[in-house]
Each structure stands twice: as structure tokens, then as C-alpha cells.
Amino acid sequence: MRAVLCKAYGPPESLVVEDIASLEPGPGQVVVKVVAAGVNFPDTLIIQNKYQFKPPLPFSPGGEAAGTVLRVGAGVTGFAPGQKVIAFTGHGSFAEEVLADASRLLPIPSGMSFEIAASFVMTYGTSYHALKDRATLKAGETLLVLGAAGGVGLAAVEIGKALGAKVIAAASSPEKLAVCTEHGADAVINYASEDLRERLKALTEGRGVDVIYDPVGGGYSEPALRSMAWRGRFLVVGFANGQIPSIPLNLTLLKGCSIVGVFWGDFVRREPKASARDLEELMELLHQGRLKPLVSASYRFDEIAQALNAVLERKVTGKIVVTP
Ligand SMILES: NC(=O)c1ccc[n+]([C@@H]2O[C@H](COP(=O)([O-])OP(=O)(O)OC[C@H]3O[C@@H](n4cnc5c(N)ncnc54)[C@H](OP(=O)(O)O)[C@@H]3O)[C@@H](O)[C@H]2O)c1
């Protein structure tokens, strides 16, 4: 089978596509024939040895995929060859076959395309865990989403609306902000050309925002936190900008607010029942038409460098996928 391989850590150009042996499932495992794999920012980090999870070399990157069950290992119940499934694997999905523990599989709901199925779980799972479990976002509260047209950002915009919040989306271009509006944002801020604090002050009539969702980091985090309302919650989701900001802790005292970490991968591992419940609730929201995942482009395996560079160069809206 063909697989994208990371044989030595480096930029996207250092990845190769090679023929390797087919995969055999161990006990409790399933081999899935990949139809589409979702691309996420962590895929750009894992190949550079900059991610929390460090699979031994060589490995295939790719945190999630959708396809059909090919082979089932001993003791697996509930999945059979030919069944359409989502696999959230952490790595290994940029390949014609991916190995997953059965606990990391979900049946694809009827009517959902392989492309959407391949790009739903990680971003929506992260944003739902962040907003519902970590921030306890309530109807009527104001939510600010930074990097709002990206993968986790756009999911946060839609989930924020589904939970009844007023959503302010911040991103770096008019085109990206138009996508945020199409996906439900009530107000938008171009943080590349406008003053974030001034705009937030005007949009909230000086009150500030209740919840901040930050997957970007760098220079936006502190001005956002300075725009927090009393008892607000600041969600630390990621550092796509590349810089981990240092925050003056007195700001939390002055605003009676919390800074809350979000680590979806470990949430799934440590709290499997809660994570499974979240995914069921998300599938229900999707079924009701309240979530509209956006897949904006599709690349082949031999275009993997272009796909990952599009992420690194801030060119992606919503999600992109790669297909064998
Ligand atoms: N905590 C968790 O459990 C968890 C789970 C999944 C992902 N994450 C993290 O969340 C972050 C976003 O992931 P994603 O998959 O949503 O990525 P994405 O689709 O690429 O979105 C990231 C957004 O960040 C903004 N950005 C600002 N500076 C950037 C830069 N130098 N390079 C790239 N993007 C930049 C871009 O928006 P503008 O151009 O509008 O600024 C972009 O849309 C990553 O740091 C990722 O590791 C965390």
C-alpha cells in the first residue's frame, strides 16, 4: 500500500510517498482503507518533531481519516469489513491503510461524505470540549474566536452559535471573515488591520467578552485577555502563530477570570466516556443541520507538501483533505 512517510524530521517537502507492507490488525484493532484524510495544524508540527506526541520514525502523519473497514482484529465487536467509518488516529492516516483501536472508530452517519467525515472529529471535538466542558459557555454569553476561519476556529464559531452565544469572529482577511459570517458569526474583526481591543470595546459596549477561544497565541492573546468581562474564561487551545505568549497574571485577578487549558487528545484518552458523549452530541447537532463543516480543498498524496504548506501559510479556510 502507498503511504506518505516522515523518515526524517523536517518541513513538508521532506515527506515522501512510498509503497510499504499492508497492515495487520492486532487484538482490538481495525485496519481501515482510507478514502480521505483530514489535515490539521498538528500534522505540520508532528513532522518537525514539535508536537506533544512523538511516534517513532518512520511514520505516516495524518490525525484522522474516513474510509471502509478492511480487516478486523481478534475481539473486535461492532465493526465489520465494508463498513464506512471515521478513524481518529493521531497519526498514520496519510496512507492507503490506517490502523486504529476499535475505540477510536465511529460509524459514518448516513448522508455524510467521506471528505466531511475525515475532517469533523478533531476540530469539532476540540472546540466542543473547549466551549462546553472547559468554559461552560452559556446561552446569551459573548464568545470571541481568534483564528476564526481556520479548522478549530470555524468549528468554535458554529458550536458557539449552537450553544446560544453571541459570536465575534476575528481573522486576518476580509475573505476569511466572510466565511465566518456565512458560518454564523454575529460580528467580525479583522485583527490584521483593526485594533482588537477598540473593536471589542465597541462591540460589547465596554463590558468585554465572556469567553475567549485562542488557537493562535502570539501577539493577539494579551489584548484579547485585556478585553475580558468579569468572571470570563480564556481558552488556551494552540499557538498556530508559533509563539507561546507570556501573560501578566494580575489580569486574571483584576477581571476575576480564568485561564483554562484545552488538550482534546488527552481528554479522549483520559476520559473516553465523556469524549464519546461529546461526539454523540456533535453528531446530533450535525443531524439537526446546526453544524455545516467546510472542506475547502482536496489534495492527492503526492501533493502533501502543498497541502501542509497551505496550512502553514494561513491559506486554508475550514478544513482541507488529502486522498490516496
Ligand atoms: N488543544 C487541542 O486539543 C488542539 C486540538 C487541535 C488543534 N489544536 C491547535 O489549534 C491550532 C489551530 O489548529 P487548526 O488545525 O485549526 O489550524 P488552522 O486551520 O491552520 O487555523 C489556524 C489559524 O491560525 C491563524 N494563524 C495566525 N498566525 C498563523 C501562522 N503563523 N501560521 C498559521 N496560522 C496562523 C490563521 O488565521 P488568520 O490568518 O486569520 O490569523 C489560521 O486560520 C494549532 O496550534 C493546533 O495545534 C489544539
Side-chain angles (χ1 to χ4, degrees), residues 178-228:
V179 171
C180 297
T181 303
E182 277 165 36
H183 285 258
D186 298 288
V188 296
I189 302 174
N190 183 333
Y191 54 25
S193 62
E194 297 179 287
D195 184 301
L196 187 60
R197 285 187 68 190
E198 285 304 317
R199 286 282 285 131
L200 286 170
K201 205 170 173 181
L203 286 168
T204 61
E205 289 160 357
R207 202 187 142 267
V209 291
D210 299 298
V211 174
I212 296 168
Y213 183 97
D214 182 8
V216 180
Y220 299 133
S221 305
E222 188 176 325
L225 182 60
R226 288 184 183 276
S227 309
M228 185 71 99

Side-chain angles (χ1 to χ4, degrees), residues 131 137 140-146 148 153-170 180-181 183-189 200 203 209 211 213:
L131 295 173
L137 178 68
E141 287 191 318
T142 303
L143 165 68
L144 167 67
V145 181
L146 304 178
L154 203 57
V157 168
E158 291 192 342
I159 292 166
K161 284 308 294 175
L163 294 175
K166 174 186 173 187
V167 178
I168 302 172
C180 297
T181 303
H183 285 258
D186 298 288
V188 296
I189 302 174
L200 286 170
L203 286 168
V209 291
V211 174
Y213 183 97

Side-chain angles (χ1 to χ4, degrees), residues 39-42 45 51-52 122-123 126 129 146-153 170-173 176 191 213-216 220 236-242 262-265 310-314 316 318-319:
V39 178
N40 294 283
F41 198 88
L45 300 176
Y51 197 54
Q52 297 97 317
M122 190 183 282
T123 45
T126 298
H129 170 55
L146 304 178
V152 294
S172 65
S173 73
K176 286 187 172 186
Y191 54 25
Y213 183 97
D214 182 8
V216 180
Y220 299 133
V236 180
V237 180
F239 313 100
N241 162 285
V262 177
F263 188 177
W264 181 74
V311 173
L312 288 169
E313 290 161 11
R314 301 165 79 166
V316 175
K319 294 284 296 265

